[in-house]
Amino acid sequence: MGRAVYAGDIKQAGMLHAKVLRSPYPHARIVRIDTAAARALRGVKLVLTGEDTPSRLWGTHRKEQRILAAGVVRHVGEEVAAVVAVDEETARDALDLIRVEYEELPAIFSPDAALADGAAELHPGTRNIAHEMHIERGDVEAGFARAAVVYEATYDMHSQYPGYLEPMATVAAQDGNGRLTVWASTQSVFLARARLAEALDRPVSTIRVIQAVTGGGFGAKIVEESNSLIAALLATRLDRPVRLVNNRLEDFLGARSSVPARVWLKMGLDAQGMIVAKDVNIVAECGAYAGLAGDVMHVTAMRSDNMHRVENVRSNAVLAYTNNPPRGAFRGFGGQQMQFPLNSHLTMLAEMLGMDPIEVHKRNAIRSGDTSVHGWKIGSSGLVECLEQTREAIQWDARRADASRRTGTRRRGLGIAAAMHVSGNRTLGNWDGSTIVLKVNEDGRVMLLTSECDMGQGANTMLSQICAQELGIALSHVTVSAPDTDVAPFCLGSLASRVTIISGNAVMRAAREAKQKLLAVAAGKLGVPQDELDLIDGVIRARHDDTTRATLAEIARLHIFRHGGEGLMVRATYDAPTVMHDANYYGNIAPAYSFAAQAVEVEVDTVTGQITLIDSFVSDDCGKAINPLAVHGQTHGATVQAIGWTLYEHVQVEDGRILNGNFADYTMPTADAVPALRTDVVESVEPNGPYGAKGASETAILPGAAAIANAVYDAIGVRIASLPITPEKVLAALRERKENEARHA
């Protein structure tokens, strides 16, 4: 309706506009910066360089960044200077007047070069290793020894730009008391506040963060962007409101795209199709700064193990620094980087055994009540049901039996893949909770104060639904306030598909407590025992005498206007019944786990290499679907992002420079590139979830790449193990197969 106020729409009296100068080099020493001409330009109010910023370093785990680069730049696009002026045009003109003298330094552009003996270190003392992991359970070698079939291959996966509709934007202002207020496009106001306090070297209580309406995040707006830090710094230096909004070119440079990875995978199945051993080596790349990339690699290294009944697993993973742009969190959070290899492998292994891949998936699928190899307690699993629902919807058996689909130059193939994701995650710290404050106003309507962030996934609607259901009021009578660190209680925000199960439980607790308080007051007024009263459609009435009643508004006012009365405000907290994993990554880190399966049909043109997606069906086990329409919308969006990563999208970096950092050159799937998207849900009923619900916004992105790769293999008999799957790769693989056949003829 055009009424949403995004961060870029906010206007403050006396507001100024900022722009950022970025490094053109992947690695260089900053010899000298001359800002005199820029400062002299009419309308320019401030120019800052790295030497003007606090010396305290910030970072998610590793403290390694300044707000603006000082002394050295480590990637193309790194922020070097910032200008504030009366308008964006003047600020942009001032950037052109800043003269920076650089001394280029040797740069490292690949993980292999970064990890080679004697390689120069991007960050002293790191050996260019940002994170590494070693996990082993059971006896992997013994498992392989009893395998009927073993398959190994290496897979390469690339970076995907988050592609949100709204580029990163911030408005920051400091008042006369020295308190800083920041309006930002963010997934977590409290994590944003902590990062601002760290980078600006000031107490958290002097900073207020308010979430503006957020036009998508997909992980990139959690805690890694620099936009809000720069805007906040500039506002504190000027005591004037400052607006900093990335255009799309700037956002490609400033946003963290997904973590690229190379995965070597070896797996063995016994004659019955059961996984007996799994061995993984991962080399991932974070670029110049670590951010959340280590956490992403953590997921790649071990999460997929938990979707199967497997006992023998080994993972070795290393995350390398390079002089490429930093990479970080992205929807699915590392799950894609293992689900593509894993599901490709399972299809190949099923073929080696002469089994249907769906049957292999089902035999190995973890079930409700199981404890996984890494100690994850599965309260509900609809994985088998997802596979069966997908099988029926895609007409798997009938289509696979049709031999004519693999004749001629245009050949069709079917592919299947499955995945799991967490709903909540106790890994950022030993708390995975949410606190809700519920206020009942004098008219009987409700205000929810929360700092869980809605970034378009429908969190506010879900919270309103639960509140309305518990209190027996209309959905329109519930308002969810914008997350605000000064007003709302502490919450972690939108990450790890946690909001439905964590904050949903908190709202349920708050609403039930508020209801009991209202019924207690009503019991006194109506002369009816509290346990004989019902609250339905905004009216409290005696269960056995419909004429004895009072409106919710009447009782809400009476809760105030009586001796000892007060406005009705309830605070409730839900902290998930989970544990921090131990030093060996063992422990139940989430209150619930979501599952999904996807099947696709593709058509491959063997003359041009073009792949056309003919049909797609995704089955999503989200527990109880509180808002089915929103679940389907999230599944559709995740499916399209997966299609983009698999066939089209690729942040192409050469010598540290992004070659396609704009929507003219960065190819994303459009409506005419995808089939009619078909989805359904499996409601497995999660015992820890509100009404049995769990997360439903990320799992559906995970199986797409493997499903498409498996369908391409089914169509033309060649396995593409590097993404994206382009026509050039298809033709090269067909040519290589033809040459091999000729050699062995």
Side-chain angles (χ1 to χ4, degrees):
M1 298 176 71
R3 295 178 181 173
V5 179
Y6 296 87
D9 298 324
I10 293 171
K11 294 179 174 60
Q12 295 281 306
M15 187 170 71
L16 300 170
H17 301 265
K19 283 293 174 185
V20 175
L21 182 69
R22 300 176 183 274
S23 167
Y25 298 107
H27 197 198
R29 187 170 68 86
I30 301 173
V31 178
R32 187 174 63 89
I33 303 180
D34 183 357
T35 61
R39 295 175 192 272
L41 182 66
R42 184 174 181 179
V44 170
K45 301 299 182 182
L46 180 68
V47 180
L48 290 184
T49 69
E51 299 302 324
D52 304 311
T53 66
S55 59
R56 185 176 180 181
L57 301 178
W58 68 273
T60 308
H61 298 294
R62 291 180 174 271
K63 310 307 175 184
E64 54 194 10
Q65 286 184 259
R66 296 267 290 260
I67 298 177
L68 296 172
V72 65
V73 291
R74 293 184 174 88
H75 68 91
V76 172
E78 184 162 9
E79 298 84 357
V80 173
V83 172
V84 185
V86 294
D87 54 49
E88 285 190 85
E89 291 75 15
T90 303
R92 195 174 291 112
D93 290 344
L95 292 184
D96 293 335
L97 298 176
I98 298 175
R99 297 290 176 261
V100 184
E101 181 182 343
Y102 294 97
E103 177 189 336
E104 286 193 70
L105 298 172
I108 297 172
F109 300 124
S110 72
D112 290 338
L115 300 174
D117 291 338
E121 293 182 322
L122 271 73
H123 301 279
T126 63
R127 295 181 294 119
N128 292 329
I129 296 174
H131 186 53
E132 56 186 331
M133 298 175 62
H134 307 283
I135 307 172
E136 187 163 1
R137 312 259 190 252
D139 190 332
V140 174
E141 301 307 329
F144 281 122
R146 63 187 180 90
V149 291
V150 175
Y151 181 70
E152 65 178 272
T154 300
Y155 301 84
D156 285 294
M157 288 146 287
H158 59 294
S159 276
Q160 182 177 14
Y161 171 67
Y164 33 58
L165 285 175
E166 177 205 18
M168 190 59 206
T170 307
V171 173
Q174 186 163 269
D175 63 23
N177 293 320
R179 293 198 79 238
L180 174 67
T181 299
V182 176
W183 295 265
S185 183
T186 182
Q187 296 176 225
S188 174
V189 290
F190 276 98
L191 294 183
R193 186 180 73 165
R195 188 169 55 105
L196 285 161
E198 178 180 64
L200 296 172
D201 200 9
R202 58 189 291 171
V204 293
S205 295
T206 66
I207 302 170
R208 178 185 187 186
V209 178
I210 302 171
Q211 186 206 17
V213 174
T214 299
F218 307 121
K221 295 179 180 178
I222 298 177
V223 289
E224 297 177 286
E225 50 76 30
S226 296
N227 180 287
S228 59
L229 302 180
I230 295 170
L233 174 66
L234 297 170
T236 61
R237 295 298 174 90
L238 284 167
D239 278 335
R240 293 269 299 273
V242 173
R243 173 182 181 269
L244 177 57
V245 178
N246 290 349
N247 62 30
R248 191 59 65 177
L249 300 178
E250 293 162 340
D251 208 80
F252 265 93
L253 293 171
R256 304 239 171 159
S257 295
S258 63
V259 174
R262 183 175 69 244
V263 174
W264 173 84
L265 175 61
K266 179 181 178 182
M267 288 180 66
L269 269 60
D270 66 16
Q272 288 71 47
M274 300 301 296
I275 301 170
V276 292
K278 179 182 178 185
D279 195 5
V280 180
N281 282 312
I282 301 167
V283 179
E285 180 191 351
C286 62
Y289 298 105
L292 287 169
D295 302 85
V296 172
M297 187 184 73
H298 177 155
V299 169
T300 304
M302 64 176 290
R303 181 170 294 170
S304 66
D305 297 341
N306 300 279
M307 66 186 282
H308 294 137
R309 289 171 155 176
V310 58
E311 298 178 354
N312 307 307
V313 296
R314 179 167 58 214
S315 292
N316 293 296
V318 62
L319 180 70
Y321 288 112
T322 68
N323 290 112
N324 290 321
R327 277 58 175 259
F330 188 94
R331 190 180 199 172
F333 207 84
Q336 307 97 305
Q337 289 90 325
M338 184 50 72
Q339 293 294 357
F340 171 55
L342 174 63
N343 281 281
S344 298
H345 248 59
L346 285 175
T347 288
M348 298 302 290
L349 287 162
E351 181 181 77
M352 294 166 71
L353 282 176
M355 293 179 65
D356 188 317
I358 291 181
E359 186 61 31
V360 172
H361 277 283
K362 287 173 59 180
R363 291 187 182 191
N364 288 281
I366 202 161
R367 313 297 172 97
S368 301
D370 286 353
T371 297
S372 76
V373 67
H374 297 306
W376 294 11
K377 299 182 185 301
I378 310 300
S380 66
S381 169
L383 180 53
V384 170
E385 291 83 353
C386 285
L387 289 160
E388 281 300 327
Q389 189 180 77
T390 302
R391 175 186 227 150
E392 180 179 348
I394 204 78
Q395 297 179 332
W396 176 265
D397 297 320
R399 288 186 180 182
R400 293 231 322 160
D402 180 7
S404 66
R405 61 195 176 88
R406 284 184 285 195
T407 59
T409 59
R410 293 177 178 268
R411 301 181 183 181
R412 293 197 174 190
L414 290 174
I416 186 81
M420 80 173 302
H421 192 63
V422 295
S423 294
N425 196 349
R426 189 180 290 267
T427 54
L428 288 178
N430 195 16
W431 191 70
D432 191 17
S434 182
T435 301
I436 297 286
V437 173
L438 185 155
K439 294 174 59 180
V440 181
N441 293 323
E442 302 91 298
D443 58 1
R445 300 192 179 200
V446 173
M447 172 73 74
L448 295 179
L449 303 180
T450 176
S451 53
E452 305 291 11
C453 292
D454 193 319
M455 54 181 175
Q457 82 275 34
N460 288 352
T461 303
M462 175 274 300
L463 295 175
S464 298
Q465 285 180 275
I466 293 176
C467 180
Q469 174 74 18
E470 290 295 327
L471 288 178
I473 59 178
L475 183 66
S476 60
H477 289 188
V478 182
T479 300
V480 182
S481 66
D484 179 341
T485 57
D486 268 12
V487 177
F490 187 95
C491 296
L492 291 174
S494 291
L495 50 98
S497 293
R498 61 183 299 281
V499 176
T500 294
I501 192 166
I502 304 294
S503 65
N505 271 317
V507 167
M508 181 181 288
R509 290 183 176 186
R512 289 177 177 177
E513 184 177 341
K515 180 178 180 179
Q516 292 307 309
K517 290 179 178 291
L518 288 164
L519 292 180
V521 173
K525 175 179 174 61
L526 299 176
V528 177
Q530 183 175 335
D531 60 1
E532 295 182 14
L533 293 174
D534 292 324
L535 174 49
I536 302 172
D537 296 332
V539 177
I540 297 173
R541 67 192 77 193
R543 190 167 301 139
H544 305 296
D545 179 8
D546 192 59
T547 62
T548 303
R549 58 169 58 193
T551 67
L552 183 59
E554 290 173 327
I555 300 303
R557 286 193 295 272
L558 184 58
H559 197 279
I560 301 172
F561 296 106
R562 60 193 173 107
H563 283 293
E566 62 178 354
L568 180 52
M569 181 183 296
V570 172
R571 184 182 71 243
T573 296
Y574 175 81
D575 185 20
T578 52
V579 298
M580 293 281 286
H581 61 67
D582 62 20
N584 197 31
Y585 305 101
Y586 189 90
N588 186 42
I589 51 96
Y593 303 93
S594 299
F595 299 86
Q598 181 175 3
V600 302
E601 183 178 25
V602 303
E603 182 178 83
V604 184
D605 189 323
T606 57
V607 175
T608 66
Q610 183 68 41
I611 299 168
T612 303
L613 197 59
I614 302 299
D615 194 9
S616 169
F617 181 86
V618 177
S619 177
D620 193 354
D621 167 28
C622 60
K624 178 64 179 176
I626 292 176
N627 185 346
L629 184 63
V631 171
H632 285 295
Q634 287 298 304
T635 302
H636 289 172
T639 302
V640 173
Q641 281 186 305
I643 293 168
W645 188 53
T646 309
L647 297 177
Y648 306 109
E649 299 181 50
H650 182 189
V651 178
Q652 297 182 34
V653 181
E654 184 176 294
D655 295 334
R657 294 171 174 82
I658 298 177
L659 302 181
N660 58 339
N662 59 79
F663 279 160
D665 298 321
Y666 182 82
T667 306
M668 298 177 73
T670 52
D672 60 352
V674 298
L677 297 172
R678 300 193 294 130
T679 66
D680 205 346
V681 297
V682 168
E683 296 184 303
S684 61
V685 187
E686 170 54 45
N688 286 326
Y691 312 120
K694 52 187 178 182
S697 61
E698 292 189 85
T699 320
I701 198 175
L702 303 176
I708 293 171
N710 288 336
V712 170
Y713 176 77
D714 184 51
I716 59 175
V718 295
R719 170 63 61 183
I720 308 295
S722 67
L723 298 180
I725 304 176
T726 62
E728 292 83 0
K729 290 179 183 177
V730 169
L731 292 177
L734 287 170
R735 186 167 53 249
E736 182 181 359
R737 186 184 66 178
K738 186 176 181 180
E739 292 171 353
N740 287 337
E741 289 173 349
R743 280 196 296 268
H744 294 93

